[in-house]
Amino acid sequence: MTDALLSLIARRFGTPTYVYDLDVVDAQVGRLRTAFPFAELRYAVKANANGALLQHLVALGVGAEALTEGELERALRAGFQPAHIVLGGPGHTPGLARRAAEAGVGLVSLDSVGAWRVWRETEAPGTRFLVRVNPGFDPHTHEHLATAAATSKFGEPSETALAIAHEVASTGRLAGFHVHAGSMLDEETVADLVVAALEPLYAGFPDADLVDFGGGLAVPHPPLAGFAAAYERFVRRSGKRVLLEPGRFVIAEAGTLLTRVLHVKGGARRHVVADAGMADLLRPALYGAHHPVRLVEGGESDRGGTGPSGGAGGRSGVEPGLPTDVDGPLCENADRLGQDVELPAVAAGDLLAVGTAGAYGFAMASNYAGSLRPAEVVVRAGEARLVRRRERPEDLWRLEEDA
Ligand code: LLP
């Protein structure tokens, strides 16, 4: 997206605002289909559940991976065919199972013996099951995202997974096995380890025709070729149908968070205080994640902020040479968008673009400290459209009762 378009969007819809370029989404889905021509895609709704984005993915012929009642209902509402929805996650309840079965969800990933107990009691003759395996290796990513680790809560070790699979197979509804090794995976060897964990499990189940390799591709450097080679080898040997559950890869790079500079402060460091922070984009605070932050040329607002270095103070005062943090407007040190950011001289009113923000950005935004969640805008062929309005103060107490 050009700086001119980003400036226009910020003027028209205000800040902070998430902007998603649907042409980039198309390109990313295209890249997946080229790299994995043998696979069916089930978009992980948790990465970004915006309804307009989900509808766009339906039109592209992608299915969905959902985790909770909320995600399931969102996916159904957006128009994903129930047969193309995988219901995963470790928290299945009888209520969720009943609703999924009634809606005709085609495939469920069983995370545990307990989940199978829930589903065994549910009238779901048309539902087939994957058994999620915990492969017990270190996928070399942030510990919060390392779901393959033996210490993580996800899946069951192979022996237990096999026991569940035998029970499911006795009801004629075993589809296969599932591993999601983690997120932000950037090492090709992870896919080999996943295949090595899965392959032996199929020996006793000739009728299991499906394998789900999960999601997890890192951005901006996804190990596409290595993952594709490992999965393809498995398919050639086994003839199984393949599902992938990409979330981040589809939408991360299509998304930009627009935020305006409120104040610039000097001292030991240069603090650029912006109108977005951890309530809008939690990843830097929660994972120490890096998101590129840059100045949008020509994006300054007509009226700046206040203070010695902002607004009236203009661009003077605070040395761009100081190490720079881009901070948010809340009262916590962790409330920041980036540390040691390379930024030229900036002043109140300037517009910043935070990149790679489409996945787990708005999805993890909160109302912490009365923050109003940002507006969401999609861009298609250079045209911008508001798809979720910015929250207003009254949205904060809409669900409450008076004392
Ligand atoms: N499938 C399953 C079963 C998952 O648990 C996940 C993500 C995905 C697919 C999609 O993974 P992706 O392709 O997006 O890496 N909030 C964290 C990410 C948590 C991911 C949780 N599971 C972040 O901001 O990095």
Side-chain angles (χ1 to χ4, degrees), residues 44 46 132 145 180 183 216 245 247-248 283 287 360 364:
K46 62 179 81 64
R132 181 156 173 186
L145 311 180
H180 169 74
S183 209
E245 304 172 338
R248 191 187 318 269
R283 305 193 68 257
Y287 314 114
Y360 308 106
M364 294 172 79

Side-chain angles (χ1 to χ4, degrees), residues 134-139 142-157 181:
N134 181 319
F137 66 82
D138 178 0
H142 190 285
E143 64 156 323
H144 292 358
L145 311 180
T147 46
T151 49
S152 89
K153 70 180 174 199
F154 296 96
E156 294 279 16

Side-chain angles (χ1 to χ4, degrees), residues 45-70:
V45 171
K46 62 179 81 64
N48 185 326
N50 179 277
L53 170 68
L54 296 184
Q55 287 167 357
H56 185 72
L57 290 169
V58 168
L60 292 180
V62 172
E65 186 263 350
L67 166 75
T68 54
E69 183 191 357

Side-chain angles (χ1 to χ4, degrees), residues 307-351:
S309 58
R315 239 153 259 275
S316 62
V318 184
E319 275 296 308
L322 284 174
T324 297
D325 292 345
V326 178
D327 301 291
L330 307 184
C331 297
E332 289 207 20
N333 280 337
D335 181 33
R336 61 168 82 92
L337 297 171
Q339 272 183 302
D340 293 315
V341 179
E342 293 287 325
L343 267 190
V346 290
D350 280 350
L351 185 64

Side-chain angles (χ1 to χ4, degrees), residues 231-252:
Y231 297 164
E232 195 180 352
R233 273 197 303 277
F234 176 80
V235 174
R236 254 192 274 119
R237 285 194 294 259
S238 70
K240 306 294 178 201
R241 269 176 64 212
V242 176
L243 299 187
L244 297 179
E245 304 172 338
R248 191 187 318 269
F249 184 85
V250 171
I251 183 65

